[in-house]
Structure formats: C-alpha cells, structure tokens
C-alpha cells in the first residue's frame, strides 16, 4: 500500500537538482527496487555512498547499467553528457585522505554537466603549494575545499580568492580530529569572511551548492 | 613597534570584500583606535557586534560619524550608496528571535550595495506561511535563512527553491536548543541538497557568502 | 540463589504492557534461559533487537516457537491475534533508512492488537509527499514519526495534524547526523507544539507510548 | 512590507492548539506589537516565558488585560473558562525546584480548559512518597512528570501507572546535572516502556502533548 | 634497560590491595611477559579484562596456572582461599546486560577473600523486585549496584538502605544510553545522598572501593 | 491540597541520614516555608547551598535560629553536639579554590557528629606537600579529596593510603577545566584502584558517603 | 592547624619556576593572606588572573607593593630586573581579542627575565601580514601564538618557522568558537608538525613552557 | 594534471623537519605511489601509522627498502645514522598500553638523529616508580610523557623536573577514559606550570616538538 520508495519526480523542476539515491543505509534488495523503479520511469539518477560490496552484490544486469567509480563511491544511472564548457568549479584538497570526498563532489558535478579543475594535496603545512596556485584559483566563481585534521586550508583559501568557497570537512585524522569535528568547527569559526560549510564528508552537498550558485546566477 | 591593528587594506581587491571590524571583544579604547586609523586612511568600514553600551561610550565625534543600528548591532563608517537595482537576496526568518541576525545580514548587504527582500516570521509550525511565498522566494539567486530552535525551516526552504540557501542557525531557544546547536546540526544534516551553513548567529558571514556568489557570477 | 531473570509478571496488570525481552546485550544462553522460563510460565512475549545471528543460533525448537521478522528484529513468542479494528496509529518515515525502526513500532503494536497504517518515504526534501497525505494523517489519534538526518519531518508533521505525534529519531546519516543526535535534538527543540520524543531508534518505546495513550483514553 | 509577526491564525483548527506567544527572546516593543495585533484580531492567547521584568515593562493598559502568574511566567490574554470536569491530567514533581515548570504545564492546561491534580515533591530519594500515591496516579490517562537532577522519578512512575507519562527534564542541580542534561538522558534512556519526553523545562510542550492525547481520543 | 613491566610490589602494604593486571590493551606477548614475571616473584595476581581470545592465545602452561572466568573476563593467578565468613557485600544488577560487570566485582572480591550475595535483575521498571529485598539489602555495610540505561536503580537503592552504595554505570543500551553515559550522569546527579560512583563498567574498581571501606573500618 | 514540601521524615531511620535542605533553587518564600515546617515538627536540619543573599533575606527570627557559615554556604537548624571522639575523616584539598567544597563536607560531617582533620593546599604540583603527610593520612578510614583543574591529587592520594578515598571534583579553573569536567573525568578514570567519585562540588554527598561507610562498619 | 596556603618554596629549585599565585578563585581575604605570607618570607611572586576589582579591593599598602597591569591581569610582587639580552621569544596574535592572553605570556616572561618581541594582529584572513614577517619570526627559538576563532594561525606559523611554537587557543568568538574550543581542537589537530598546545587562555603556561625550553637548552 | 602527492620538498629547510608520510588514510596504491615518488627524488622519509596489513600489502621491492617496526607502526625509507651523542630526550610512560605511542616518538627521534632514554611503566598509582627516577629525569632538556586513563603522570612529572615536558595523551582505557579524552583534558588543565600537549596518540608530533626545542636552542 505504502511504497517504500516515493520518487520526488519534480524535484528537478523545483530546485534544479534531480533526486539522488543515498545508498549507505539501504539493503541490496532496497537498492535494486529503487533502481528498477527509476529504470521503469526512464529517469537518470546519481547514486552516492554506494560501497563496492553493495555494487558487487547487485545483479549483473543492474551493474551493467551503472557507471560506477569506487573511489568516490558514486554511480551514474543513464547517460552523462560531457560538460559543454571549461571548468567553472575548482576542487581543492589538503591531503591524500581528502580525495574520496573531493571525487564525490567532482562526480556529482560531472553528472550535472559541470567540469571541475582539481587542485589536490595543497595543505597548509606547505603553504607555498596553495600560494603558487592563487591566481589560478582566484578565477573560479565557486571552489570546493576538502580538508580534514584542523582544516586551516579553509581560512587560507577564503582569504585568497573572491569566489564562493564551500568547505567540506573531511573525516580523517585521529584524537580530537576524529570524525572530522575539528575541521568542521574550524570551517564554521573561520576568520575569513563568507566561507560556507556542508556536513562532514558531504562532497555531494558541496557540489549541489555550487550548482545552485552557478545556475541561479546564470538564470538572471 | 607592533601596532595592535594591522589593516588588511587590500582585502577588498583580493576577495572582493573590505575588512570589517568585529567589535565584540574590543575595549572602547581599542575601538576608538581602530576607527581613528580607518578615518586617517579615509577608509569606509562596516562594524559588527557593536553593543549599544560600546556605541554609547564612544566620543561624540566618533558617534556622529557612524550610522548605527541597535537591532543588528552594526554601524557604517563612511557613505553607503543606495542599491543600484532590485533585491537579489531574500532574507527569511522563522520567528521574532531571529530578526537581529537577519538584520545583521541585511545591513551587511546594504553596506556592499545590495538590497534585500525580507520574509520574516514564516516558521515551519505554520507551514502555509512559507508555502504562500514559494513563488516569490524561488526567484532569488541567493537566500539567507535565519532560524533557531530545531531549524526545520532550512530543509523546507531548501526543498522549495533553486537558489543558493545560506542557513544561519540562531542562538535562541532553551534546553537542547540552547546556544543554537540544535539548529546548527539540523542545517548541516539537512535532507535538502545543497544547503550551506555558516556559524551560529553569523548574519555577517551569510551576507558575505551571498556577495561572493553574486559577484563571482557577475564577473564571468 | 539469585536467578538471572526475574520476570516482572504483573507488569501487564500494573501498566497495561507485558514485559518485553530486549535481546541486544544477551548471550544465546541467556536468551534460551529467558525463553524457556517464559514458556514454562505459559507467557506470551515480544522480543526486540533480536539479531539474525542470535536468532539463527537458537535451538530449532525455540526458533520454531518464534514468529521472527528480520527487518524489525522482533519476534513473537505465543499467539498474536489479528487486530480487532481499523488502524488507530499511523507510522510515518522520512526515508528508506528509517524503515527498520518503523517496523519495530508496527510489530510492537501488532503484538498488542493494534493495526497500523504505513506512510513511508515522505521526507521533507519533497514536501508534497507529506502534504498530499495531510488529511489522511489528520484522522489518527496517534502517529509515530521515524526520521534520521535533521528530523525536519517531526516539526512539519506536528504542524499539520492534531493527533499525538511520537517522534523517533533514527540513527542514520553521517557527520553531525551520526548516531541520530541531530534528529534527536531537532525533535526535542521542535517549534511545533506538543511533539513528544523517545530514545534514538526506539520504535518499541514509541509503540508503547501510543498504546498508553490509546488504552488510557479507552478506559475512561 | 514584511510584518514581524505573522499570526498562524488557523493553527487551532489544524492541530487543535492555538498559537502561543513565546516571550523569552522578544523585546518589550516586540511583545507590545504582538499583543496589540492579537487584541485587534480579538484573539485569546497564552503567553509563556514572560519574565517579571518584561511584564512590568508593558504599558498599564496591556498589563491590565493579562492574567499573569510570576511562578510559571505565563499570562492569559482573554477570558479563560473554568474546566468543565474533574482533572484528567496529573502533574507530578520531584522537588521544589521543579515547581515553576510544573506550573507552566498546569497553566497551559488551564488555558485550554483542562484541570490538573498536583502531586508535588514526591522525589525518589523518599520512595514512599510516590508509592503512597500509586493508586491515585494510576487513574489518570495522562501524567506530566517534572524532575531535575538524575530524573529517576520518570522511570519509577512509568513502572507504576498505565497512563501516558510525559517526562519534562528540569534544569536544576549542578555539576553533571547542570542544564538538565542528566535528567534528559535519563528520561530518554528509561527502562520503563512508553515514557515520552519533551525538551528541558518545556512545561508548555508537555501540556500540549497531553491535550493532543486527550482530544484525539475524545474525538474518536 | 627500561623493563616494560615494573611491578608495584609493595602496593599491597601501602593501600591494602595488590596490583592487578589490566589486560585489555596488552598483546599476548606482553601478557606472557607479565605473567612470567609474577610467577618468578611467586606473586598472586588478579587479571581483569582478559578476553577469551587473549586467554586462548596464551601457552598451555600459562593457561593451566590461571583460574579463568569468561563472563567476568577475570583470571586468578595463584591460590584463592574460600571467604572466611558470610557475605559482607551485596552485588545488585538492573538487568541481564549488567551481569558481566557485576561478576567482575564479585570475582575481585573473591580474590581478596570476601564473599558476596547476588541480587540480580531487580531493575526499577518492576519496582517490587527491589522493594521485596529491601530488608535483606539493608543489612549490608557495602553494596555494589550495576545498571545501564538510565540507572534509576542507583537512586532507588540509595534511598532504601544505609550501607555504602557504590554505583557502577554499565555500558549497555543504545541512543543516549550508548556507552553508559546516561547511567553515569544519573549516578553522579542522584538525589539519594551519599551514593558514590566509579567509571563505566568498572566492576573491579567498585570491589576495591568496597574492600577499602571494609578493611579500613575493620582496622580501627 | 498538595503541599510543596513533603518531609521525608523517616529517612534517618531508613538510611541513617536525615533529609537535608538543598537551598540553591528555592525562593526565600519557599525556604521560609520549609524552615517553619521543620521548626513546627521540632526537626533538626542541615541546609546546603544557602547563598549569603538568601540567608540575609530571611526574617530575623529565622536567621537567629540558624548557625550559618558563609564559606561552605551551610546552616544548621537546631543543636549540634560536639563530636564524641577524634577525627575519623580527613578532608584534603589541592588549592585555595577547593576550600568552599571541603568546608561543605566538613560542616556536613560536623552536623552528623563527626570531627574532621583538614589537610589543605597540598596539590600535586608541589608533590612533597602530600608526601610529607602520607603517614598521617594513611591512618584515616575515610578521606575526602577536593580538587579542581586536572584532579591529579585523586590518583596520587589513592596510591598512597588504604582508606576509602571519596573524590570531589571542584568547579574551578578555566578552558578545559571549566565547570570541573576535567577533574571529574580524571577522578573516574583514575589508575589508583578503588577511588570513588561524587558529583562536581558535592561536598555534602562526599560527607554522606563517608558517614555511610563509617556507620555501616560500626553497626556490624 | 592546617594553613590555607602552603607555599611550594623550593619549586624554583626543582623546576626552575617559582610558584605563581592564581587569583581567579580567591577572595580578597585569601589574596591578602597569601601576599602577606609571601612578604613575610621575602619572596618575589607573579600574580595571574588578578581582576581589576580584586586589585582595587586590596589595602593601599598591598596595592603599593604590586606592579599591576590591567590588560594582562598580572601583578609583580617584588623587584623585576630588565631582561639581560635581546628577545628570545616572539609573541604572535591573530587579532585584537587575543591581546590580553598574549600580554599574560609577555608579562610572565618579563617576570622571569626574558624580553619578548610582539607581532600582533597578523591573522590568517590577511595572510600577507604573517608572510611579511616570516624571516623575522624564523629567528626565534620559541614562539607563543595566541589565536581564537578557528586558530588557523597555528598551522600557518608552524609551517613557516623552525622554532618551538606554543599554541594558546583564545576564548573569543561565538557559536562553535565559543569558549575557545574550536581553536583548541584546531591547535591539537594541526597538520604542521611539532606544534604544542596549552589550555585555552593560558598565556602564563605558554610562557612557562618557553622558559623550560630556553633554560633547559641553556643548561646543557 | 593535478598530482595526488605534492612533495613539500623544502620543508626541511623551512622548519628543520622533512615531510613525513601519514599512512593511516592511504590505500596501498596511494602508498606505493608516494614511496616511488620519494625514491625517484632520492629522498629519505619517515612513514607513520603504517599498519602491518598495509606493510604486508606492499610489493616485495618496496618492503625491502623499508625499515619497519610493527609496534610503533613506523618505517624508515633510506639510511638512518646512529645518534651522534648521548640521549637528550627521555620518553616516559605510565603503563604497558602507552608503549606503542612512546615508540612512535622514539623512532621519530631516531630518524632525526636523536637517541632517547626510555623510562616505561612508571604510572602514578605506584608513585615510588617515578620518584626513584627523579634525578635521572631532571637532567633532560626535553621529556615526552605518554599516559592514558587519567594522565596524572603529566602533572607529577611536570612538578618534578625543569625540562620541557611534552604530554601525549594516549587512547587507552574505557568509559570516560575512552578515546584518550580524560588524559587530554588532564594534560591541558594540569596544575604543573609549563606542560605542553599534543594530540591524542601523537607520538610523532611530540618528537617533532622536542626536535624543534633542541635544534632551535642549538642554533643560537
């Protein structure tokens, strides 16, 4: 009577972003049901937090229809066109451990037709790495910064570039950095004006925020 | 030898936002010194968190040069031109207690030449209030939402409009809502995609984020 | 001398609810001992948090006497009569991840002779889903709402219906939503008047609360 | 253009509870504006968290129209009829410090036409006090229990009576009890089945929950 | 040069309690080294938090010298004499999940020559269970109470008996009870005067406290 | 109908400790009512957390009947006999800021007929201070240790003496020590076996615990 | 019998730092007693956290013997010689609000005969400010960095200079920065290797750490 | 285009410490890429948090080039010369569980050419153990103290020796000590002046701090 999955079919029209499928808390049966419903509708979809084990447990047929990336744990259902223009979003990371989150953002943007430029491993302990890229980074209307530990990258970046800086605290590190809480509070308390923050590890949300900013301005 | 106040004079050129003066932790002597330094430079400045008692304790001369608003606790030093066009930012609140934060955002935008449209007191407990404004709100490229208590407004708004939604958790309420923590975690954990968050009560930061989004897009 | 399990045999008479067996922290030997004691008394019982591995490790004989549901992790010992009338409780969820908790509530109500109506996957990001059901939901004297992430569903629901809304924060999500804390504080800080809350994931407790409300009123 | 106070005028029809005015974060000017708006509409209203200093600062005219109680910090605007029948709700406290919260609940119920029976100062350290009232308490369909410190009263009460027990953790005590957090977690983690919880000090919310339970059942 | 294990050989003389070996964070090699050092000295020892896997990984020879109990995860090295008199300590639990902690306390007391009387599964939800034992419990100079969830047992017991009540919060339950924090704050905030508390799950520490109380008083 | 103050008159008989009056959350009217009730009964009573302002606001008549000590904020109602023998409890502090809590313990013991020996200002930063008193301290069956900041005194003391050590974390210090939390977790996590803990600043509770230990042993 | 103040007279000999007097939790009477005891001994002393109100309440005679600085809230009792050489410690701050803590460090060093070089208001939002001083800062064997908000200054500094960087998180800011917790976790989680941290606002402790480093190395 | 690993090649020149490779959040492929890049440059490197499973999964060739220690989970890439002189750093632990962290510090120092003297298992519960070493420990310019549980060792040590004491809270213990938080707050709140703190389990950072202190002083 009450279906488990109620597709928010007009979300795209309402807010410019189609519904994505968050796979982390779904069983394989639930995933298959959702995918089949989307296929029946002929809908494209982005899947996030799809663990390799979940992906491997899907039927061959469903797996064949998915473009899966194990680093970002994302999959595309349906065709994804190449971006129509040059990158409008820079994705920046502090260290190697931030890559999976940065790639979730990059893949989300790719699904929505936006190219990104990657600036990885430019953490603050070696400040010259980010300073050397200042001019390049200052050209972007939107930047997604992913950093764990103490997240000093957010403030440094926010003080160097005029674009919208979306900070994604990353769950890496140990002790007080465990779970990404130190980076989260660092991002929220930043002394650089106008930095905005999404939930820990939420590369998907950061990409959606960048899309909101880009599309809304384009529409004016 | 080491001056107490080192003006970040080229900030405006670097990130499109001039330095603002955060007054909360400054003594009256420190405030006067900062204001005199800015006056000597002929710089305009925005002052935030200027408590009425601090304002009252300034010299008549300094007070005369400030355009002070006690609700938002902001002051303008130097001329502020009227906005050149119609509002590009909507400022939305859940209840009366959110007004002071919303006004800090609105005044910050005014200082930078942006008009806002106010949509106040449209909290979720009376859902019709925000639903009735959906079309109006959906036209804005950027929205600043201020809410305390459980912050459900952020998710409802994020599901209704395509613009960039900057959530400002407000320090109001009691018990688990005390200090704005419930609204903060609500904003960060929102099920609506692409909501971005600033620190509790940080109306100034939300306005700066909106400016980053608007200016960057304009510059392309 | 001191038995490990002291059955609270007259609990049903005292508070209208027989004792349930919380299985999470029990070894298989302890579970078997409790079940044998109940069987020896001829008592019916509801088992909660019975993991599939625990269930599988019970003897064939004990397993045969249990009506086990792996999604809700509940089991019935003894006969369960079909509900005598139409549903008096609605069980509502925000997303797929909330189903296991909602089913724990539904099964608990079934054990006590109450039917439920399920309204699943009506989260706030697609607000039309819950608005479309407003009239249906407004007819119920008691509603159990299960939601993780930011729990905005609780406030939206509480502002739409007159019945008793029991909010069950669900342990799903990541970052600040991890462990269900964001949804819990959201439920407690709700701006909708008269929402009540139970512990994170406590579908069983929410059902007991609904039973208390329904029975007490019936007895007047 | 955007009024500060948007009255949720049909809330009463929607959820059976008229809007109340939460005064804690309002200035005296804001309070006067809200009261005048309500008077202009001819609406009755309940005011909560109205501090004596706020009350004293209102105009004589407004003060004369309010029935103010300084212990519960509530005020009635408009007529309040005597309850039509015997008490259907028991209000129970652990100690003297819980009285102000209990009275907020009692006054809220009175405003909505429900009488209460007070059982005060029956904390668990002197267990005989609550045991002596067990029969009296077991007759109520709804009970509101207010307790600070460790909140053991909630579990003891929940194990003794069949009615709906709404636990209100109270912000009293010191050290780990400071702010009511110990009582809150105690209420949520209670071993007694079916206890429901509202925010710390939220006597108003507890009363609304009781009203939802009583009215919904009455309407069937 | 610096041995890894420096035996605090005169601890027994100093504080009346020989050193115990906390095994949780030790590798099997470290455990073997400690045991061999103690055997070489001819010292008796109590081992706590010895997991079954650790125990199984010891050499046959070492295992043969240990009296191991898997429920309490304790082992005796060397002879343990039967207690010389009747029990002077009561060990009380709220539910089945508290047994492992209670047994750690009981085994620690046995190692030091004290018998205990077990009163298990007398949680507050069925209050008659503890009330029925009030007289028996009131005879003990020291009681060790183990409870998880909300720990209401501590306050109820503390209000019923004159002996020293050592509360041991137990890490059981879920949501806000997770990790034993709710029971811990409940014990510390108790309204019953003179309850003392040890760390979560610290059955060993509770037994040592009882020994300190009993021995010190005996020595006067 | 329901008196605000229900005297737990037989508490003394039940647990060996008469009811005390915790004054912190009481108004002056409530205090006067309680005192008059106790006077009418002819009961002795100990008052704790009686602030100088509260004391000053009582009527002259009531004030005359109280033996008040502003440092410990305690008052005796009724006669207090001198202790019949030499001190059986040592009260130890780390620094000057712990004195008020230590004195609450000392006064509570005095009210119940026990003398104490004070060992103040022997914090661990100057370790010789406590080492010099080791023999004196080792003679006491019960010790009450009051310390703020990091509470290292608890572990040092617990490793030096055989008596029951009741740790009272004190709310002093700043930063992570603010509110006494660092000292509390230090006391609970102590490496010295058998230390027991009461709530932050709870000198009264520590004294009651010492009384329980002393009386219970005496009664055997 | 037990003096309230036990001077740790040989601390200087033991650890190279004389005892300081922490005034925050002392009454004026206690302060006067300590000062008189020190004067009687002919001891020099550093007083920290001496509030202007406390200072003003001392007798004229005591006040005359103190060299008091209201910004750092420190006072010197006894003569302080001018530093024998050039500064060996740099004190760095992010913003105006950090000055009081930086001055506590500077005054502590002055009391112990060390000069400092002040580099104030060089926060990360204007990165050029600290970059411009890199060479100057790199010459110091020890640096004390004081920063509130997100404390990004610690990591930036730690990546630029070879000296010992002692991070002092400052209690300034609001929301998640409130109380200095964001800066504290930032300092502890820093990606720059070898940064060390002291308690929030602990300028005194940072100075003592610098003295330990300088003196120990000098003694080799 | 954007390499995943950007070597901070001149870090050694800038801050006197070459970049180390933190392996915890890296995949085996990422590790191999980093090692090959370092080998191609001919750089020496220290690897930290290299789990045995990670080490085992590397190619034989890479494994052959690493000097791996499974207790400290560190590896040396490239030659490590024996220390040129006697130990200048003492590494002190409270118990067996602290050894892995202490060894991370010792190995980091060895990689940088510093010998250490180990003083292990000298926890405060047996105070004589550390007192017996006071003279030996007082000779060191820098000490690294590793302790879990309540971390009382930090304060005791800080009160006994003049050298720089770097406290490393260790993640051992259970209940309130879980995750090392009790030891961390203990270290930060210490009553012994001038103790400095690094993140929980950060033996590497403590060693870097000692190197900063030693080198900076040597360079003067």
């Amino acid at each position: 009577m009450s279906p488990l999955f109620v597709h928010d079919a007009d979300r795209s029209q309402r807010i410019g972003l189609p519904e994505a499928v968050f796979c982390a808390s779904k069983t394989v049966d639930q995933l298959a049901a959702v995918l089949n419903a989307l296929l029946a509708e002929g809908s494209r979809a982005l899947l996030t937090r799809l663990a390799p084990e979940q992906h491997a447990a899907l039927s061959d047929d469903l797996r064949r229809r998915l473009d899966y990336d194990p680093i970002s744990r994302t999959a595309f259902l349906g065709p994804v066109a190449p971006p129509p223009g040059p990158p409008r979003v820079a994705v920046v990371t502090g260290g190697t451990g931030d890559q999976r989150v940065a790639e979730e953002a990059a893949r989300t943007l790719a699904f929505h037709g936006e190219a990104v430029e990657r600036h990885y491993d430019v953490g603050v302990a070696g400040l010259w790495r980010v300073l050397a890229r200042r001019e390049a980074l200052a050209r972007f209307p939107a930047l997604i910064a992913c950093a764990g530990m103490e997240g000093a990258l957010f403030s440094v970046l926010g003080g160097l570039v005029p674009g919208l800086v979306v900070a994604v605290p990353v769950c890496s590190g140990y002790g007080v950095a465990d779970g990404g809480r130190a980076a989260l509070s660092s991002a929220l308390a930043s002394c650089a004006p106008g930095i905005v923050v999404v939930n820990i590890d939420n590369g998907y949300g950061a990409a959606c925020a960048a899309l909101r900013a880009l599309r809304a301005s384009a529409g004016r």
Side-chain angles (χ1 to χ4, degrees), chain A:
Chain A
M1 191 161 67
S2 178
L4 191 59
F5 175 67
V6 182
H7 188 203
D8 187 8
D10 77 339
R11 184 180 293 183
S12 190
Q13 203 164 339
R14 229 168 46 237
I15 66 169
L17 297 164
E19 193 174 23
V21 182
F22 178 72
C23 305
S25 58
K26 292 192 175 59
T27 64
V28 171
D29 286 355
Q30 290 174 333
L31 276 177
V34 169
L35 289 172
N36 286 324
L38 290 165
L39 284 167
E41 287 180 23
S43 297
R44 291 171 68 230
L46 171 68
L47 286 76
T48 63
R49 307 289 167 108
L50 180 64
E53 308 75 44
Q54 287 176 301
H55 179 250
L58 291 172
S59 73
D60 282 0
D61 183 55
L62 283 175
R63 251 200 341 267
R64 207 172 310 123
R65 291 162 180 277
L66 294 176
D67 167 359
Y68 179 63
D69 169 52
I71 290 178
S72 62
R73 303 194 161 199
T74 56
F76 301 156
L77 180 75
V80 171
R88 295 196 292 172
V89 181
V91 180
V92 185
T93 68
T96 317
D98 309 321
Q99 191 192 3
R100 61 185 174 78
V101 177
E103 287 298 314
E104 187 183 271
R107 289 266 295 177
T108 299
L109 287 162
F111 181 77
H112 293 93
E114 287 290 338
V116 305
E117 192 171 295
R118 287 169 177 82
H119 292 264
Y120 283 6
D121 207 28
V122 298
V124 165
L127 197 60
W128 60 270
R129 292 183 293 202
V130 68
L131 290 176
R133 292 153 191 257
R134 178 179 159 181
E135 261 183 70
L137 293 170
R139 281 196 301 267
F140 285 90
L143 302 98
I144 294 173
C146 305
M149 303 181 80
E150 94 288 38
L153 180 61
F154 305 135
S155 293
V156 167
L157 203 58
L160 293 179
V161 303
L164 181 70
V165 177
V166 184
V168 194
V170 172
C171 175
S172 70
Y174 55 91
V176 300
D178 189 32
R181 295 280 169 148
L184 172 62
S185 60
S186 215
L188 288 165
S190 175
C191 58
I195 289 180
V196 291
V197 189
V198 296
N199 198 4
I200 295 161
D201 284 353
N202 194 2
Y204 165 73
C208 290
L211 288 164
R212 284 178 180 261
L214 293 173
R215 293 203 176 153
S217 65
R220 286 177 60 87

